[in-house]
Structures are given as C-alpha cells and as structure tokens.
Amino acid sequence: MSAAGNKPRVAVLISGSGSNLQSLIDAAHAPNYPAEIALVLSNVATAYGIERANKAGIPVKVISHNDFADRSSFEAALAASLAEFKIEYVCLAGFMRILTADFVRLWAGRMLNIHPSLLPAFKGRNVHAQALAAGVTISGCTVHLVTPELDDGPIIVQAAVPVLPDDDEAHLAKRILAEEHRIYPQALAWLASGRINVADDDKTAQARARLGSLINPPV
Ligand code: GRF
C-alpha cells in the first residue's frame, strides 16, 4: 500500500451537516483505505461539516454561490480550488447546488453522489416524503457516478432499508442515513482504487477537449 501522501486526493463538497463527510473521513483514517480526503468545499459558511473537517485537520474552502453572478463563475471558482489542491476525485455529500453539464462532464467517471433513495425511484428533494407518499415498503440509498441529469448516473452501490408501518420522514431518514455511512466509503474505495471505469460518451469527450485544461491532474 502506498504512503498516505501518494493516495488519490479527494474533495468532499458539502452544504450542511456533513455526516457523510464524517463517514468518509473516518474510513480514510484506516491505513489501507485507498484515498485521502484532501479538501472540503462548502458553499455554506455555517455548514456543520466545516467543523468536522477542521477537527480532522482537513483544509476547508468556503465558496458561496451568492458571491457569483452565475453558475459558471461559481463553478470556475470550484474548479480553481480543485486544481489548487490537486484533486482527482470528488464526492458530493449533501451538496445542495445543481452543477452545469460542462462541469459534470469534466469530472465524468470521477465524481460520486449519494442520494437517500433506491434510484431511479424518488429523485430530487423531499425524498423520504416521496417514498412515504408512494407507500413503498422498502427504500434505501444509492451511490452513483454523477452525470448531467439530476440523480441519474451509473449506480455503484445501493443499500435497502425497510419502511416500517408507523414510519415518519425523520425516522426513515435516520435509518437510511446509517446505511449511507456504510456504502459511501465503500463506493469511494472502489472508485479510487480504479475498480470502476465508464467510457465517455460523445458529449463528455467534447467537453473534456474544450475544458480539460481546467482540471489538474489533467484527464
Ligand atoms: C444525505 O441524506 C444525502 O443522501 C443527501 O443529503 C443528505 C446529507 O446529509 N444527498 P449529511 O450532510 O451528509 O449529513
């Protein structure tokens, strides 16, 4: 196993509590974990996840979308920080901004998201309310590669969680979150150790050709 400094460098993008960030930090403490959490990026200055990162000694950048005129300039700032910290993989962990297709394509095959449902069921927001309203007896969570369409990319791993007869959103969310904390570190380990490869489609290849110099190390 390579020394800690040689492991692929991962940025975790957050907007809130950062409990998934914590699960990645904890997993990455294991000497044989194949990735290093090298940067936490938050678009919200008060996100509790920032404290988690500080406690773990991980560099934090706060980049508020409110400081930018449009999505592209916000993302240019994100890209600059990712390049500055030589990030190779990105984990979205409760990051509440929609990313443009160009940005997503630039990171195709290297960016993961976690979503609290068994995708393709219940995309978007208010996921647990959607599941309860639909009356499903099993819900769960999904880690997937990020593609331009929301909550839609290739699925890496899922965990199923029973919906109990008297469940409400909070109780269901809590039990699903516990499973999120189990599967996200597993998925990142697979990705960072080169076990997941997805071929670029034409649009992705074109975006890389146009914008590839923005990414460091280059793709
Ligand atoms: C999680 O439920 C995750 O699936 C969703 O947002 C929530 C983030 O929670 N995308 P946390 O900030 O990791 O605690």
Side-chain angles (χ1 to χ4, degrees), residues 85-106:
F85 282 83
K86 300 202 174 340
I87 297 303
E88 290 171 66
Y89 296 99
V90 172
C91 289
L92 306 182
F95 184 65
M96 300 303 283
R97 301 302 299 168
I98 294 195
L99 297 165
T100 64
D102 269 351
F103 187 87
V104 167
R105 289 194 177 111
L106 199 51

Side-chain angles (χ1 to χ4, degrees), residues 1-2 4 7 23-36:
M1 184 50 61
S2 56
K7 292 181 180 182
S23 76
L24 296 170
I25 292 172
D26 293 346
H29 276 144
N32 62 351
Y33 193 79
E36 177 192 353

Side-chain angles (χ1 to χ4, degrees), residues 16-21 93-96 113-116 128 177 180-181:
S17 153
S19 69
N20 278 290
L21 163 66
F95 184 65
M96 300 303 283
N113 182 43
I114 187 145
H115 183 78
H128 305 302
L177 204 52
E180 295 182 36
H181 299 160

